[in-house]
Amino acid sequence: MNFNLTMYPNDVLIVQLFGELDHHETEKVRTHISKAILQGNVKLLVWNLEHLHFMDSSGIGLVLGRMRELRAVDGQTILLNPSKTMQKIFQYSGLGNLVQFASEQQVISHSEGDCQWITK
């Protein structure tokens, strides 16, 4: 599994995940994202799942844990472009309201307007 983290103005961190996310890979991703959040640089965390083909329950835990860290800075989370299967998983886990279908650029542009994407 590969991943990219890109920090944008207005404290937007986009996480692009590629391939398969299992419990072996979540720790690597978690370390990098948590570091950015704990430094106070993130207000909006966007998980771009467009190229993620598989995710086990540790992926849900990864998202939930980062949401918990973001609460300290009143941050938000967006799950961007998940597959239909992952969309169902997020619905069943109570995270369906975080799912958005848009481009990264649309999310960044929207955040520059200082608008809320979702309710917390």
Side-chain angles (χ1 to χ4, degrees):
M1 202 241 2
N2 291 321
F3 67 95
N4 291 326
L5 302 178
T6 307
M7 195 72 192
Y8 288 94
N10 293 339
D11 301 327
V12 176
L13 177 62
I14 295 187
V15 180
Q16 296 174 315
L17 299 174
F18 302 90
E20 299 183 357
L21 179 64
D22 60 20
H23 69 280
H24 295 292
E25 301 295 330
T26 56
E27 191 59 38
K28 296 175 193 174
V29 178
R30 177 187 346 249
T31 301
H32 291 283
I33 296 170
S34 291
K35 182 178 177 183
I37 292 171
L38 295 174
Q39 289 174 346
N41 298 331
V42 180
K43 294 289 185 179
L44 177 61
L45 178 57
V46 179
W47 300 85
N48 186 341
L49 307 174
E50 185 174 4
H51 301 289
L52 188 65
H53 306 296
F54 171 81
M55 177 179 68
D56 66 11
S57 61
S58 64
I60 298 292
L62 177 66
V63 171
L64 288 171
R66 290 343 89 214
M67 288 174 63
R68 186 173 36 249
E69 290 175 353
L70 279 171
R71 274 192 219 131
V73 294
D74 199 30
Q76 293 183 298
T77 300
I78 294 176
L79 302 169
L80 194 62
N81 303 320
S83 70
K84 289 186 184 217
T85 302
M86 279 188 263
Q87 190 176 355
K88 288 179 186 177
I89 291 169
F90 291 127
Q91 282 296 123
Y92 295 140
S93 64
L95 299 175
N97 64 325
L98 304 178
V99 172
Q100 299 286 331
F101 293 92
S103 70
E104 290 180 8
Q105 189 56 48
Q106 287 172 314
V107 172
I108 293 164
S109 296
H110 198 276
S111 71
E112 290 172 354
D114 204 25
C115 300
Q116 296 282 327
W117 271 85
I118 56 175
T119 57
K120 292 176 229 147

